[in-house]
Amino acid sequence: MASTKTAIRSRRNLEPYLFMAPALIVLLLVVAIPIGYALVQSFYKYRWNIPTIPPRFVGLENYLNIFKDEDLLKSIGWTFSFTAVVVSSELVLGLALALLLNSRRLGRLRAFWRGVFLIPLMISHVISGFMFRMVFDPEYGPVNHLLSLVGINEVRWFTEIFPTRLVVILDDMWIATPFVMLVLLAGMQTIPVELYEAGSIDGASAWALFRHITLPSIRYPIMVVIVIRVMDALRAFDMIFMLSRGGPGISTTTVMLWNYRYAFQFFAMGRACAVSFAFFIVICLITLVSMGILHRETA
Amino acid sequence: MIARKLLNSTLFYIALALAILWTAFPIYWMIATSFKSGDMLFNWPPTYFPYPLTLANYEYIFRLQPITKFLTNSAIVAVASTPISVALAALAAFGFSRFRFRGRNLLMFLFLAVRMLPALIIALPLFMMFRSVGLHDSLLGLIIVYTAFNMPFNIWLLQGFFAEVPSEIQDSALIDGCTYWQLFMQVMIPLITPGLVASAIFCLLLAWNEFSFALTLTYTVKSQTLPIAIAGMTNDRGTLFGSMGAVGTVATLPILAFALYVQKYLVQGLTAGAVKG
């Protein structure tokens, strides 16, 4: 933390706690209590649409069932591969976009173009799902029309597994690449121009400049962006809910979509709570480990 | 050498053009669709430049769909949750960045954990709790949830801004006899205004666009927001593309205009903390 030296030492005083109290109280009421409730419920079987049947304590059964449910296991696999694919493609594309925007060719127009490329970041994920639904519509959409011009006919987006997964991945890239681009661009703009000038004088190629100056200098932003994006991609829900409803079959159903189904279509409270709780722990662990790596690398 | 330079800049502009196309085309297509008449929606090849434009879809959504109600709901929820969330976050961020105290790291991690929390893990318990206190399907319920959920991010963002205030300013204020409260209100707050603006913008954007909680905690027009309105229109594919496009456009354009207008703060906020090592 940058503030270590400037901090007010206050071991006996109440002040820091007083300043944090309002936020803590709100989070306690709206977040901590429901989580506690969810944790307790995860050890029970309870159909909340039939309140007359009382909850039945089943111990760890809801958790153990996770490993027996083949559909859910498939979805866990898909959630992780989705995350791996989108985060790595967003990183490459975001880096390319940042390099494009960092180019001296743009001059004063840089802020303008940066604004244009930021637009997807401000759009609701549900609406972006709707946009991609229209653009990739198999019968009336422009993508299939353009593909038919080069001889690829009637790709069945949304009814075949691979094309649907591709659209879901593309939509996530559309939504999140601007964020990656923005953070990497901000990192690049802190690199002193003199470094590049010195490199050029020594006769380094553009690739060498990128490889030996740009890339090492933005290592920290790259890692921050990976941590944040992995965290978000694992929880993907809104866009997929709108775009494919998890289909065809369960091929694009993420863990969070299952969770929604357990809770609001099967009314299986205990099961929904167990799945979301287990998954939350996994996300926390992944984040903790990657932040640990981050701190060690930058120390 | 000249040929190579020319090639390089041609490639550069081709890449730029592709990037623009990739970013803008889905948005363009939605807006264009919203202006297409019924039969134009089902043309093959699809109509890339709709002409003549028709306002029929907008008439439909404003006359036959309760779209003004959804719009008002979205606006109320966003505007009401933002100031509370920013104010509470600013207090907490001040506490975090300016004091050393027992349990600081643990608290920091807990706040961060909220940011990692899948919305759905608490949506169901909240749904039950809200139902028992009469907050289900209400704007107030959504406002409370958004206030809480936007807070951790704001605390993290504002903490960075507080940390950048030089310690000399703080020391001299305290030597002059400022209380901690005065230090916060009169010295710190004016210095971190850009941070406050940035976090307010985030709150507005997130509340306006939020889906998971709105989907689970509201179920009638009384309290549903625009993203829910769009998701609710998907049943009858095709025929509704025009009006869905119109709802999407209505939901997107105001926030887009606003966000582009305040872009500077947005960029500052998003990149704070991610750049320094």
Side-chain angles (χ1 to χ4, degrees), chain A residues 26-27 29-31, chain B residues 77 80-81 84-85 126 130 133 135 138-151 217:
Chain A
V26 172
L27 287 178
L29 288 175
V30 185
V31 181
Chain B
V77 171
S81 63
I84 319 172
S85 194
L126 267 182
F130 277 8
V133 293
L135 278 173
S138 75
L139 291 181
L140 184 59
L142 277 188
I143 292 170
I144 293 173
V145 174
Y146 294 165
T147 302
F149 255 74
N150 288 338
M151 221 150 44
L217 298 176

PDB file of all heavy atoms in Angstrom, chain A residues 26-27 29-31, chain B residues 77 80-81 84-85 126 130 133 135 138-151 217:
ATOM      1  N   VAL A  26     -24.034  -1.770   6.325  1.00  0.00           N
ATOM      2  CA  VAL A  26     -24.796  -2.061   5.099  1.00  0.00           C
ATOM      3  C   VAL A  26     -24.371  -3.415   4.524  1.00  0.00           C
ATOM      4  O   VAL A  26     -25.209  -4.251   4.175  1.00  0.00           O
ATOM      5  CB  VAL A  26     -24.598  -0.950   4.053  1.00  0.00           C
ATOM      6  CG1 VAL A  26     -25.214  -1.346   2.725  1.00  0.00           C
ATOM      7  CG2 VAL A  26     -25.214   0.346   4.544  1.00  0.00           C
ATOM      8  N   LEU A  27     -23.056  -3.655   4.459  1.00  0.00           N
ATOM      9  CA  LEU A  27     -22.594  -4.919   3.883  1.00  0.00           C
ATOM     10  C   LEU A  27     -22.987  -6.110   4.750  1.00  0.00           C
ATOM     11  O   LEU A  27     -23.275  -7.188   4.240  1.00  0.00           O
ATOM     12  CB  LEU A  27     -21.078  -4.889   3.684  1.00  0.00           C
ATOM     13  CG  LEU A  27     -20.624  -3.998   2.539  1.00  0.00           C
ATOM     14  CD1 LEU A  27     -19.109  -3.969   2.440  1.00  0.00           C
ATOM     15  CD2 LEU A  27     -21.210  -4.485   1.222  1.00  0.00           C
ATOM     16  N   LEU A  29     -25.744  -6.333   6.553  1.00  0.00           N
ATOM     17  CA  LEU A  29     -27.173  -6.608   6.348  1.00  0.00           C
ATOM     18  C   LEU A  29     -27.454  -7.193   4.975  1.00  0.00           C
ATOM     19  O   LEU A  29     -28.217  -8.137   4.829  1.00  0.00           O
ATOM     20  CB  LEU A  29     -27.993  -5.324   6.530  1.00  0.00           C
ATOM     21  CG  LEU A  29     -28.124  -4.807   7.952  1.00  0.00           C
ATOM     22  CD1 LEU A  29     -28.855  -3.479   7.969  1.00  0.00           C
ATOM     23  CD2 LEU A  29     -28.879  -5.830   8.787  1.00  0.00           C
ATOM     24  N   VAL A  30     -26.830  -6.607   3.948  1.00  0.00           N
ATOM     25  CA  VAL A  30     -27.207  -6.984   2.584  1.00  0.00           C
ATOM     26  C   VAL A  30     -26.359  -8.125   2.038  1.00  0.00           C
ATOM     27  O   VAL A  30     -26.770  -8.839   1.134  1.00  0.00           O
ATOM     28  CB  VAL A  30     -27.129  -5.756   1.649  1.00  0.00           C
ATOM     29  CG1 VAL A  30     -27.639  -6.091   0.267  1.00  0.00           C
ATOM     30  CG2 VAL A  30     -27.918  -4.604   2.230  1.00  0.00           C
ATOM     31  N   VAL A  31     -25.159  -8.314   2.590  1.00  0.00           N
ATOM     32  CA  VAL A  31     -24.291  -9.355   2.046  1.00  0.00           C
ATOM     33  C   VAL A  31     -24.013 -10.477   3.052  1.00  0.00           C
ATOM     34  O   VAL A  31     -24.249 -11.646   2.767  1.00  0.00           O
ATOM     35  CB  VAL A  31     -22.963  -8.747   1.539  1.00  0.00           C
ATOM     36  CG1 VAL A  31     -22.087  -9.838   0.960  1.00  0.00           C
ATOM     37  CG2 VAL A  31     -23.236  -7.683   0.494  1.00  0.00           C
TER      38      VAL A  31
ATOM     39  N   VAL B  77     -33.650   4.053  -9.609  1.00  0.00           N
ATOM     40  CA  VAL B  77     -32.747   3.140  -8.914  1.00  0.00           C
ATOM     41  C   VAL B  77     -31.301   3.623  -9.032  1.00  0.00           C
ATOM     42  O   VAL B  77     -30.555   3.665  -8.043  1.00  0.00           O
ATOM     43  CB  VAL B  77     -32.896   1.712  -9.482  1.00  0.00           C
ATOM     44  CG1 VAL B  77     -31.817   0.809  -8.937  1.00  0.00           C
ATOM     45  CG2 VAL B  77     -34.261   1.158  -9.130  1.00  0.00           C
ATOM     46  N   ALA B  80     -30.817   7.066  -7.095  1.00  0.00           N
ATOM     47  CA  ALA B  80     -30.954   7.006  -5.643  1.00  0.00           C
ATOM     48  C   ALA B  80     -29.826   6.219  -4.987  1.00  0.00           C
ATOM     49  O   ALA B  80     -29.369   6.566  -3.894  1.00  0.00           O
ATOM     50  CB  ALA B  80     -32.299   6.393  -5.264  1.00  0.00           C
ATOM     51  N   SER B  81     -29.347   5.145  -5.648  1.00  0.00           N
ATOM     52  CA  SER B  81     -28.333   4.331  -4.977  1.00  0.00           C
ATOM     53  C   SER B  81     -26.953   4.971  -5.048  1.00  0.00           C
ATOM     54  O   SER B  81     -26.115   4.737  -4.179  1.00  0.00           O
ATOM     55  CB  SER B  81     -28.304   2.925  -5.583  1.00  0.00           C
ATOM     56  OG  SER B  81     -27.938   2.991  -6.933  1.00  0.00           O
ATOM     57  N   ILE B  84     -25.604   7.499  -1.979  1.00  0.00           N
ATOM     58  CA  ILE B  84     -25.408   6.783  -0.712  1.00  0.00           C
ATOM     59  C   ILE B  84     -24.175   5.904  -0.811  1.00  0.00           C
ATOM     60  O   ILE B  84     -23.315   5.876   0.071  1.00  0.00           O
ATOM     61  CB  ILE B  84     -26.634   5.896  -0.376  1.00  0.00           C
ATOM     62  CG1 ILE B  84     -27.920   6.631  -0.695  1.00  0.00           C
ATOM     63  CG2 ILE B  84     -26.594   5.442   1.068  1.00  0.00           C
ATOM     64  CD1 ILE B  84     -29.162   5.776  -0.578  1.00  0.00           C
ATOM     65  N   SER B  85     -24.087   5.178  -1.913  1.00  0.00           N
ATOM     66  CA  SER B  85     -22.978   4.261  -2.083  1.00  0.00           C
ATOM     67  C   SER B  85     -21.641   4.996  -2.074  1.00  0.00           C
ATOM     68  O   SER B  85     -20.689   4.571  -1.419  1.00  0.00           O
ATOM     69  CB  SER B  85     -23.162   3.487  -3.386  1.00  0.00           C
ATOM     70  OG  SER B  85     -22.303   2.401  -3.433  1.00  0.00           O
ATOM     71  N   LEU B 126     -31.674 -13.191  -0.295  1.00  0.00           N
ATOM     72  CA  LEU B 126     -32.221 -11.833  -0.247  1.00  0.00           C
ATOM     73  C   LEU B 126     -33.687 -11.823  -0.645  1.00  0.00           C
ATOM     74  O   LEU B 126     -34.498 -11.122  -0.051  1.00  0.00           O
ATOM     75  CB  LEU B 126     -31.439 -10.915  -1.191  1.00  0.00           C
ATOM     76  CG  LEU B 126     -30.282 -10.126  -0.611  1.00  0.00           C
ATOM     77  CD1 LEU B 126     -29.678  -9.254  -1.694  1.00  0.00           C
ATOM     78  CD2 LEU B 126     -30.737  -9.263   0.553  1.00  0.00           C
ATOM     79  N   PHE B 130     -36.312 -10.296   1.729  1.00  0.00           N
ATOM     80  CA  PHE B 130     -37.100  -9.157   1.265  1.00  0.00           C
ATOM     81  C   PHE B 130     -38.588  -9.475   1.311  1.00  0.00           C
ATOM     82  O   PHE B 130     -39.416  -8.627   1.612  1.00  0.00           O
ATOM     83  CB  PHE B 130     -36.688  -8.760  -0.157  1.00  0.00           C
ATOM     84  CG  PHE B 130     -35.475  -7.865  -0.196  1.00  0.00           C
ATOM     85  CD1 PHE B 130     -34.742  -7.616   0.958  1.00  0.00           C
ATOM     86  CD2 PHE B 130     -35.071  -7.272  -1.383  1.00  0.00           C
ATOM     87  CE1 PHE B 130     -33.634  -6.804   0.928  1.00  0.00           C
ATOM     88  CE2 PHE B 130     -33.956  -6.449  -1.415  1.00  0.00           C
ATOM     89  CZ  PHE B 130     -33.231  -6.218  -0.266  1.00  0.00           C
ATOM     90  N   VAL B 133     -39.986  -8.968   4.729  1.00  0.00           N
ATOM     91  CA  VAL B 133     -40.127  -7.601   5.233  1.00  0.00           C
ATOM     92  C   VAL B 133     -40.819  -6.679   4.228  1.00  0.00           C
ATOM     93  O   VAL B 133     -40.859  -5.472   4.414  1.00  0.00           O
ATOM     94  CB  VAL B 133     -38.762  -6.980   5.627  1.00  0.00           C
ATOM     95  CG1 VAL B 133     -38.186  -7.693   6.824  1.00  0.00           C
ATOM     96  CG2 VAL B 133     -37.807  -6.987   4.470  1.00  0.00           C
ATOM     97  N   LEU B 135     -39.997  -5.994   1.095  1.00  0.00           N
ATOM     98  CA  LEU B 135     -39.151  -5.245   0.157  1.00  0.00           C
ATOM     99  C   LEU B 135     -39.046  -5.938  -1.201  1.00  0.00           C
ATOM    100  O   LEU B 135     -38.378  -5.451  -2.109  1.00  0.00           O
ATOM    101  CB  LEU B 135     -37.744  -5.086   0.732  1.00  0.00           C
ATOM    102  CG  LEU B 135     -37.540  -3.956   1.733  1.00  0.00           C
ATOM    103  CD1 LEU B 135     -36.148  -4.041   2.347  1.00  0.00           C
ATOM    104  CD2 LEU B 135     -37.736  -2.603   1.073  1.00  0.00           C
ATOM    105  N   SER B 138     -39.697  -4.316  -5.149  1.00  0.00           N
ATOM    106  CA  SER B 138     -39.823  -2.882  -4.907  1.00  0.00           C
ATOM    107  C   SER B 138     -38.546  -2.166  -5.339  1.00  0.00           C
ATOM    108  O   SER B 138     -37.465  -2.756  -5.354  1.00  0.00           O
ATOM    109  CB  SER B 138     -40.081  -2.611  -3.431  1.00  0.00           C
ATOM    110  OG  SER B 138     -38.885  -2.797  -2.705  1.00  0.00           O
ATOM    111  N   LEU B 139     -38.691  -0.902  -5.704  1.00  0.00           N
ATOM    112  CA  LEU B 139     -37.521  -0.111  -6.090  1.00  0.00           C
ATOM    113  C   LEU B 139     -36.583   0.061  -4.905  1.00  0.00           C
ATOM    114  O   LEU B 139     -35.369   0.018  -5.055  1.00  0.00           O
ATOM    115  CB  LEU B 139     -37.968   1.256  -6.611  1.00  0.00           C
ATOM    116  CG  LEU B 139     -38.707   1.243  -7.943  1.00  0.00           C
ATOM    117  CD1 LEU B 139     -39.078   2.651  -8.357  1.00  0.00           C
ATOM    118  CD2 LEU B 139     -37.852   0.605  -9.023  1.00  0.00           C
ATOM    119  N   LEU B 140     -37.163   0.230  -3.711  1.00  0.00           N
ATOM    120  CA  LEU B 140     -36.332   0.420  -2.528  1.00  0.00           C
ATOM    121  C   LEU B 140     -35.405  -0.778  -2.314  1.00  0.00           C
ATOM    122  O   LEU B 140     -34.217  -0.627  -2.004  1.00  0.00           O
ATOM    123  CB  LEU B 140     -37.227   0.634  -1.295  1.00  0.00           C
ATOM    124  CG  LEU B 140     -36.478   0.947   0.007  1.00  0.00           C
ATOM    125  CD1 LEU B 140     -35.644   2.215  -0.145  1.00  0.00           C
ATOM    126  CD2 LEU B 140     -37.443   1.083   1.168  1.00  0.00           C
ATOM    127  N   GLY B 141     -35.949  -1.975  -2.519  1.00  0.00           N
ATOM    128  CA  GLY B 141     -35.134  -3.178  -2.388  1.00  0.00           C
ATOM    129  C   GLY B 141     -33.941  -3.143  -3.332  1.00  0.00           C
ATOM    130  O   GLY B 141     -32.795  -3.384  -2.938  1.00  0.00           O
ATOM    131  N   LEU B 142     -34.188  -2.798  -4.603  1.00  0.00           N
ATOM    132  CA  LEU B 142     -33.100  -2.726  -5.582  1.00  0.00           C
ATOM    133  C   LEU B 142     -32.083  -1.657  -5.188  1.00  0.00           C
ATOM    134  O   LEU B 142     -30.868  -1.859  -5.307  1.00  0.00           O
ATOM    135  CB  LEU B 142     -33.649  -2.405  -6.971  1.00  0.00           C
ATOM    136  CG  LEU B 142     -34.204  -3.555  -7.803  1.00  0.00           C
ATOM    137  CD1 LEU B 142     -34.501  -3.059  -9.208  1.00  0.00           C
ATOM    138  CD2 LEU B 142     -33.227  -4.716  -7.853  1.00  0.00           C
ATOM    139  N   ILE B 143     -32.588  -0.516  -4.710  1.00  0.00           N
ATOM    140  CA  ILE B 143     -31.691   0.577  -4.325  1.00  0.00           C
ATOM    141  C   ILE B 143     -30.751   0.107  -3.211  1.00  0.00           C
ATOM    142  O   ILE B 143     -29.537   0.338  -3.256  1.00  0.00           O
ATOM    143  CB  ILE B 143     -32.504   1.809  -3.862  1.00  0.00           C
ATOM    144  CG1 ILE B 143     -33.250   2.406  -5.053  1.00  0.00           C
ATOM    145  CG2 ILE B 143     -31.599   2.864  -3.229  1.00  0.00           C
ATOM    146  CD1 ILE B 143     -34.253   3.472  -4.698  1.00  0.00           C
ATOM    147  N   ILE B 144     -31.308  -0.593  -2.226  1.00  0.00           N
ATOM    148  CA  ILE B 144     -30.485  -1.098  -1.120  1.00  0.00           C
ATOM    149  C   ILE B 144     -29.407  -2.052  -1.645  1.00  0.00           C
ATOM    150  O   ILE B 144     -28.228  -1.937  -1.302  1.00  0.00           O
ATOM    151  CB  ILE B 144     -31.374  -1.811  -0.075  1.00  0.00           C
ATOM    152  CG1 ILE B 144     -32.291  -0.780   0.597  1.00  0.00           C
ATOM    153  CG2 ILE B 144     -30.521  -2.529   0.961  1.00  0.00           C
ATOM    154  CD1 ILE B 144     -33.324  -1.381   1.518  1.00  0.00           C
ATOM    155  N   VAL B 145     -29.804  -2.964  -2.519  1.00  0.00           N
ATOM    156  CA  VAL B 145     -28.850  -3.948  -3.027  1.00  0.00           C
ATOM    157  C   VAL B 145     -27.734  -3.276  -3.833  1.00  0.00           C
ATOM    158  O   VAL B 145     -26.550  -3.570  -3.667  1.00  0.00           O
ATOM    159  CB  VAL B 145     -29.565  -5.003  -3.895  1.00  0.00           C
ATOM    160  CG1 VAL B 145     -28.562  -5.929  -4.541  1.00  0.00           C
ATOM    161  CG2 VAL B 145     -30.525  -5.795  -3.045  1.00  0.00           C
ATOM    162  N   TYR B 146     -28.105  -2.345  -4.715  1.00  0.00           N
ATOM    163  CA  TYR B 146     -27.082  -1.682  -5.542  1.00  0.00           C
ATOM    164  C   TYR B 146     -26.153  -0.837  -4.692  1.00  0.00           C
ATOM    165  O   TYR B 146     -24.946  -0.758  -4.950  1.00  0.00           O
ATOM    166  CB  TYR B 146     -27.734  -0.828  -6.635  1.00  0.00           C
ATOM    167  CG  TYR B 146     -28.481  -1.652  -7.661  1.00  0.00           C
ATOM    168  CD1 TYR B 146     -29.379  -1.067  -8.540  1.00  0.00           C
ATOM    169  CD2 TYR B 146     -28.285  -3.023  -7.746  1.00  0.00           C
ATOM    170  CE1 TYR B 146     -30.058  -1.817  -9.478  1.00  0.00           C
ATOM    171  CE2 TYR B 146     -28.963  -3.788  -8.668  1.00  0.00           C
ATOM    172  CZ  TYR B 146     -29.846  -3.183  -9.536  1.00  0.00           C
ATOM    173  OH  TYR B 146     -30.523  -3.925 -10.459  1.00  0.00           O
ATOM    174  N   THR B 147     -26.712  -0.184  -3.666  1.00  0.00           N
ATOM    175  CA  THR B 147     -25.877   0.603  -2.768  1.00  0.00           C
ATOM    176  C   THR B 147     -24.789  -0.284  -2.163  1.00  0.00           C
ATOM    177  O   THR B 147     -23.609   0.063  -2.166  1.00  0.00           O
ATOM    178  CB  THR B 147     -26.726   1.202  -1.631  1.00  0.00           C
ATOM    179  OG1 THR B 147     -27.749   2.010  -2.201  1.00  0.00           O
ATOM    180  CG2 THR B 147     -25.875   2.052  -0.711  1.00  0.00           C
ATOM    181  N   ALA B 148     -25.203  -1.449  -1.683  1.00  0.00           N
ATOM    182  CA  ALA B 148     -24.248  -2.335  -1.032  1.00  0.00           C
ATOM    183  C   ALA B 148     -23.262  -2.924  -2.033  1.00  0.00           C
ATOM    184  O   ALA B 148     -22.060  -2.978  -1.779  1.00  0.00           O
ATOM    185  CB  ALA B 148     -24.992  -3.447  -0.306  1.00  0.00           C
ATOM    186  N   PHE B 149     -23.762  -3.352  -3.190  1.00  0.00           N
ATOM    187  CA  PHE B 149     -22.889  -4.078  -4.100  1.00  0.00           C
ATOM    188  C   PHE B 149     -21.882  -3.220  -4.829  1.00  0.00           C
ATOM    189  O   PHE B 149     -20.833  -3.691  -5.238  1.00  0.00           O
ATOM    190  CB  PHE B 149     -23.723  -4.898  -5.086  1.00  0.00           C
ATOM    191  CG  PHE B 149     -23.680  -6.326  -4.729  1.00  0.00           C
ATOM    192  CD1 PHE B 149     -24.398  -6.772  -3.642  1.00  0.00           C
ATOM    193  CD2 PHE B 149     -22.871  -7.220  -5.402  1.00  0.00           C
ATOM    194  CE1 PHE B 149     -24.333  -8.076  -3.252  1.00  0.00           C
ATOM    195  CE2 PHE B 149     -22.788  -8.530  -5.013  1.00  0.00           C
ATOM    196  CZ  PHE B 149     -23.525  -8.965  -3.937  1.00  0.00           C
ATOM    197  N   ASN B 150     -22.199  -1.940  -4.997  1.00  0.00           N
ATOM    198  CA  ASN B 150     -21.234  -1.070  -5.656  1.00  0.00           C
ATOM    199  C   ASN B 150     -20.173  -0.565  -4.699  1.00  0.00           C
ATOM    200  O   ASN B 150     -19.158  -0.019  -5.117  1.00  0.00           O
ATOM    201  CB  ASN B 150     -21.959   0.114  -6.299  1.00  0.00           C
ATOM    202  CG  ASN B 150     -22.735  -0.305  -7.522  1.00  0.00           C
ATOM    203  OD1 ASN B 150     -22.438  -1.336  -8.124  1.00  0.00           O
ATOM    204  ND2 ASN B 150     -23.734   0.465  -7.902  1.00  0.00           N
ATOM    205  N   MET B 151     -20.414  -0.739  -3.409  1.00  0.00           N
ATOM    206  CA  MET B 151     -19.528  -0.150  -2.421  1.00  0.00           C
ATOM    207  C   MET B 151     -18.095  -0.696  -2.456  1.00  0.00           C
ATOM    208  O   MET B 151     -17.151   0.093  -2.452  1.00  0.00           O
ATOM    209  CB  MET B 151     -20.131  -0.323  -1.027  1.00  0.00           C
ATOM    210  CG  MET B 151     -19.958   0.895  -0.193  1.00  0.00           C
ATOM    211  SD  MET B 151     -21.264   1.122   1.003  1.00  0.00           S
ATOM    212  CE  MET B 151     -21.495  -0.474   1.658  1.00  0.00           C
ATOM    213  N   LEU B 217     -35.077 -10.251  -8.019  1.00  0.00           N
ATOM    214  CA  LEU B 217     -35.761  -9.556  -6.927  1.00  0.00           C
ATOM    215  C   LEU B 217     -37.008  -8.797  -7.361  1.00  0.00           C
ATOM    216  O   LEU B 217     -37.766  -8.323  -6.524  1.00  0.00           O
ATOM    217  CB  LEU B 217     -34.797  -8.607  -6.214  1.00  0.00           C
ATOM    218  CG  LEU B 217     -33.598  -9.272  -5.538  1.00  0.00           C
ATOM    219  CD1 LEU B 217     -32.675  -8.228  -4.948  1.00  0.00           C
ATOM    220  CD2 LEU B 217     -34.052 -10.244  -4.471  1.00  0.00           C
TER     221      LEU B 217
END
